[in-house]
């Protein structure tokens, strides 16, 4: 809600967010049960040049159809399609239908991410009004951030869902870290930061290869997740509109911090729908330390 939004606009955005969250939660068991036969590559690549799995395409089609049908949703965009789809008038919804789908073959955790923006795409980070992710782990859970707080739900097989934890906060004492990217491609400031993290006896490595799984453990145990800038990919791997903004918004709403190495992810601006950004999220003191390395 911007300063100029009227009460009606504020209410209609809130109603659209309720509806988006409800659709994503209720679609989750269907997406999950659709995975077993779809652990194979589809024909195409996504706009970032990655091989699409049949499950990516399935989840994208399903969410586009359901979210696109909602009153109050104007645009649907996803990591799996080149351009945004005009579906009516209202908020812009950006989705990563199946985050970490390379974990399909080894049967490890994956997620679905959704971000709701009050504005056209590509949106600015400060246009984000809500973000949520579903985590397909041993159980299916969902974290929803809006209005500065995060609620965690459990989603049942019959698509009903219940609150597990209100006002989720990162624990004060961090214990886990997970860093992506090939180590030989880490740049010197990050290498130095990682070496200090690795030598801290209160921290241990936990990296699963699906951002949502890795971020959810930071939310649970405290710590830091990074997909850093790389010498061969200065903007890293993760996409700002679909991954960077929503995860930054969620972690900040849970009392943590987010960064691209220099500033909050929410203050990073890019004019390409599929633009990438380095992503660092976690406890404030770890992000402060990380940023100080890039400032040197
Ligand atoms: O969306 C990209 C993604 O699957 C993220 O979920 C994850 O953090 C990252 O890629 C893993 O990349 P890598 O295979 O390089 O560790």
């Amino acid at each position: 809600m911007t300063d100029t939004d009227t009460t009606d606009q504020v209410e209609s955005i809130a109603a659209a967010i309720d509806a988006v969250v409800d659709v994503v939660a209720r679609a989750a068991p269907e997406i999950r049960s659709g995975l077993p036969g779809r652990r194979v590559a589809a024909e195409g690549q996504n706009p970032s040049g990655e091989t699409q799995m049949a499950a990516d395409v399935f989840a994208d089609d399903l969410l586009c159809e359901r979210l696109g049908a909602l009153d109050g949703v104007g645009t649907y965009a996803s990591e799996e399609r080149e351009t945004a789809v005009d579906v009516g008038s209202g908020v812009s919804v950006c989705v990563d239908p199946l985050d970490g789908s390379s974990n399909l073959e080894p049967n490890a955790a994956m997620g679905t991410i959704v971000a709701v923006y009050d504005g056209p795409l590509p949106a600015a980070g400060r246009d984000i009004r809500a973000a949520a992710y579903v985590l397909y782990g041993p159980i299916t859970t969902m974290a929803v951030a809006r209005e500065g707080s995060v609620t965690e739900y459990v989603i049942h097989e019959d698509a009903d869902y219940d609150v597990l934890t209100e006002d989720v906060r990162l624990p004060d004492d961090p214990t886990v870290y997970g860093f992506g990217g090939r180590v030989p491609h880490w740049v010197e400031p990050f290498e130095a930061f990682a070496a200090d993290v690795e030598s801290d006896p209160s921290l241990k490595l936990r990296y699963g290869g699906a951002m949502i799984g890795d971020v959810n453990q930071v939310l649970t145990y405290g710590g830091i997740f990074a997909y850093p800038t790389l010498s061969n990919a200065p903007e890293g791997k993760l996409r700002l509109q679909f991954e960077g903004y929503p995860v930054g918004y969620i972690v900040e709403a849970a009392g943590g911090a987010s960064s691209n190495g220099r500033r909050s992810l929410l203050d990073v601006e890019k004019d390409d729908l599929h633009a990438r950004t380095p992503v660092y999220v976690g406890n404030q003191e770890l992000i402060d330390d990380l940023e100080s390395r890039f400032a040197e």
Side-chain angles (χ1 to χ4, degrees):
M1 289 126 243
T2 64
D3 294 343
T4 51
D5 277 345
T6 63
T7 309
D8 281 357
Q9 281 168 322
V10 170
E11 281 173 9
S12 66
I13 291 168
I17 292 169
D18 289 343
V20 166
V21 167
D22 188 63
V23 159
V24 171
R26 293 190 187 281
E30 211 173 322
I31 292 175
R32 185 173 187 125
S33 66
L35 299 178
R38 295 185 171 87
R39 298 163 79 186
V40 290
E43 272 177 20
Q45 289 193 331
N46 71 14
S48 304
E50 298 161 345
T51 302
Q52 284 178 314
M53 302 296 282
D56 289 313
V57 178
F58 164 69
D60 180 40
D61 287 345
L62 190 146
L63 290 167
C64 183
E65 184 190 310
R66 305 268 166 90
L67 292 169
L70 292 175
D71 283 342
V73 173
T75 307
Y76 174 89
S78 114
E79 259 192 33
E80 303 304 330
R81 50 184 81 210
E82 191 72 47
T83 53
V85 188
D86 183 355
V87 291
S89 72
V91 295
S92 300
V93 178
C94 280
V95 174
D96 184 355
L98 216 44
D99 171 68
S101 55
S102 65
N103 274 0
L104 263 170
E105 288 184 83
N107 189 26
M110 286 174 307
T112 291
I113 310 172
V114 60
V116 179
Y117 299 101
D118 178 14
L121 300 177
R126 299 290 168 189
D127 288 339
I128 196 166
R129 296 293 170 261
Y133 63 75
V134 172
L135 174 59
Y136 308 99
I139 57 172
T140 308
T141 57
M142 175 174 68
V144 180
R146 58 193 295 187
E147 290 165 21
S149 87
V150 179
T151 307
E152 186 189 24
Y153 299 85
V154 60
I155 302 175
H156 306 290
E157 270 177 46
D158 64 2
D160 272 345
Y161 50 105
D162 295 310
V163 173
L164 269 182
T165 317
E166 310 237 31
D167 200 16
V168 175
R169 309 290 294 170
L170 264 76
D172 290 337
D173 297 325
T175 54
V176 295
Y177 64 92
F179 299 151
R182 292 197 65 237
V183 176
H185 292 145
W186 289 356
V187 300
E188 198 280 321
F190 185 73
E191 229 171 38
F193 172 75
D196 286 352
V197 166
E198 283 161 3
S199 61
D200 181 335
S202 61
L203 293 170
K204 63 182 168 186
L205 170 65
R206 291 278 184 94
Y207 184 74
M211 184 186 70
I212 285 313
D214 292 325
V215 166
N216 198 60
Q217 66 185 359
V218 168
L219 230 57
T220 309
Y221 294 132
I224 181 167
F225 164 77
Y227 206 105
T229 177
L230 300 172
S231 57
N232 63 342
E235 295 305 309
K237 179 178 186 188
L238 304 179
R239 270 99 345 169
L240 187 58
Q241 304 278 324
F242 304 98
E243 294 165 310
Y245 284 153
V247 90
Y249 183 77
I250 291 167
V251 173
E252 289 191 22
S258 79
S259 180
N260 72 340
R262 300 193 180 273
R263 60 185 67 85
S264 163
L265 285 168
L266 300 178
D267 290 324
V268 175
E269 296 205 5
K270 299 269 176 84
D271 54 14
D272 172 7
L273 182 63
H274 295 280
R276 299 176 193 263
T277 180
V279 168
Y280 310 91
V281 291
N283 285 70
Q284 182 78 55
E285 66 272 23
L286 288 165
I287 299 298
D288 288 346
D289 183 7
L290 178 278
E291 283 187 342
S292 72
R293 314 296 177 118
F294 284 99
E296 281 162 10

